[in-house]
Amino acid sequence: MEPTAGRNSSAAEARDYGAWKARNAPDDVRRRSHRTALEDVRRARPAVEARFERDWGMLLPEEIFTFRAFLRALTPEEQRAMRDLDLHPFGLMDLFDDPHREARPGLDVRVHGRYYRDPPEFVTFMHGGTDGLHFGLWFDDGRTCTGVAGYYNNDGGGVGIPGGTPLREVRRVLERRWRDLGDEDADATGPLNPDRAPRAFRLRLLRETLVSFEPDDVTAEGEAYHRADWERLPRELRAHGDPRRIATLDGAGALVTGRTALDRAPQLLWDDHDFCTGLWRVLTGDRSATDAAVAEAKRRCAAGDPAEALVLGRDLHWASGSDPDRERQAGELLTMAYRTLGRPALAAIADAHHRHRDLPSVAVLAG
């Protein structure tokens, strides 16, 4: 059940929402905010792009500037809606506030917003509020953005195959919350929570602004949105995974060609329980077997095939679990693989992360 159903008729709710919006976020005010936000981002863009390319060695996608403009255009009610969703810009988005801000002494700026298990390809742009949930741009080639991924650093589940945009991730979170509001209506036995209507209005307003910045051909809401979002993925990808990506323990897959020691399947859109459980057991079990696998991956990489070094390095990085040997082996394999693949920015990030994986906070910018 959606929030517009149940004990409040959709017509009555639409009328109430229109009156609420006219009081709290008039259309003319929102249109001016939209234009002003786009202009603010246009002026700030060159300095942010230059800083990110200089220190991270990569190019920011157009979609991150759209995301910044969206954030700048939000009314106070929409800002409250973002807080209701527990979504907060973080990581590389801090560069927009001051593109010249440096890291604290002794720290590498490239680990700002970098959580313990983040693969080097992942660059955080938004925090999700609970269990280390965060979202990042994904750079397969260490230069250009492939898409967006998100995961819980402190909980189970993997990163998933990257795709979509920052605003698509906001929309997905929003529609999950919209579904939850409908569940509140369905489960209620007494009077409705008086805060329910304002929460629904704020989410509806936020959705309108989001779509104004990034139109979406899926117009469904709540659970129906998520069904349609899944169904618009290619059928083969949904059924068999991404054939371009070799399966990795983190669930994102490695974009690389070559031979691997294990018979790895293409990366699936969901966790392969048997593969993950078996590989985790191997990597965290017999130390001598892991040492031998690392030596073999290095040998193959030195001979010109970095595929095993990349996938095993990513697996060890994900399964490090604060074990110094696994952390060291992951860092060595990843830097070696990225350099062989011609991805120097990722090699530098992997090295920086290895040196700073024990930081008590992922916020490293000064001030």
Side-chain angles (χ1 to χ4, degrees), residues 34-179:
H34 190 134
R35 291 193 298 268
T36 300
L38 288 172
E39 179 59 23
D40 288 347
V41 172
R42 185 192 67 79
R43 288 196 299 266
R45 179 171 181 161
V48 175
E49 284 182 314
R51 173 68 187 284
F52 191 73
E53 184 172 11
R54 185 195 78 193
D55 285 350
W56 278 261
M58 300 186 287
L59 304 175
L60 287 172
E62 186 68 33
E63 291 82 0
I64 204 67
F65 298 100
T66 303
F67 178 61
R68 171 64 175 182
F70 161 79
L71 294 172
R72 292 283 291 169
L74 296 181
T75 64
E77 290 292 343
E78 291 168 307
Q79 292 171 17
R80 185 172 177 183
M82 287 288 283
R83 293 193 296 272
D84 289 344
L85 296 176
D86 276 338
L87 295 180
H88 309 275
F90 181 53
L92 75 89
M93 300 308 297
D94 293 331
L95 299 180
F96 283 91
D97 297 323
D98 181 0
H100 307 292
R101 192 175 169 194
E102 298 290 345
R104 298 195 304 273
L107 299 180
D108 192 306
V109 72
R110 287 168 292 196
V111 300
H112 178 58
R114 181 159 293 280
Y115 289 67
Y116 182 81
R117 293 197 295 166
D118 286 0
E121 291 88 346
F122 187 105
V123 180
T124 300
F125 67 85
M126 183 168 66
H127 186 265
T130 181
D131 289 328
L133 175 61
H134 61 298
F135 304 87
L137 302 180
W138 188 273
F139 295 83
D140 273 310
D141 63 1
R143 186 64 177 169
T144 55
C145 181
T146 305
V148 169
Y151 77 100
Y152 294 86
N153 185 69
N154 307 333
D155 205 348
V159 175
I161 296 176
T165 68
L167 284 182
R168 179 75 59 82
E169 290 299 331
V170 175
R171 178 75 185 275
R172 288 168 176 161
V173 175
L174 187 157
E175 299 303 346
R176 284 194 289 272
R177 190 61 57 86
W178 189 257
R179 176 199 61 200

Side-chain angles (χ1 to χ4, degrees), residues 165 167-172 175 207-208 210-220 225 228-229 232:
T165 68
L167 284 182
R168 179 75 59 82
E169 290 299 331
V170 175
R171 178 75 185 275
R172 288 168 176 161
E175 299 303 346
R207 183 193 290 123
E208 289 181 11
L210 191 157
V211 173
S212 75
F213 276 93
E214 186 175 272
D216 193 336
D217 57 355
V218 175
T219 58
Y225 174 87
D229 191 36
R232 68 176 156 189

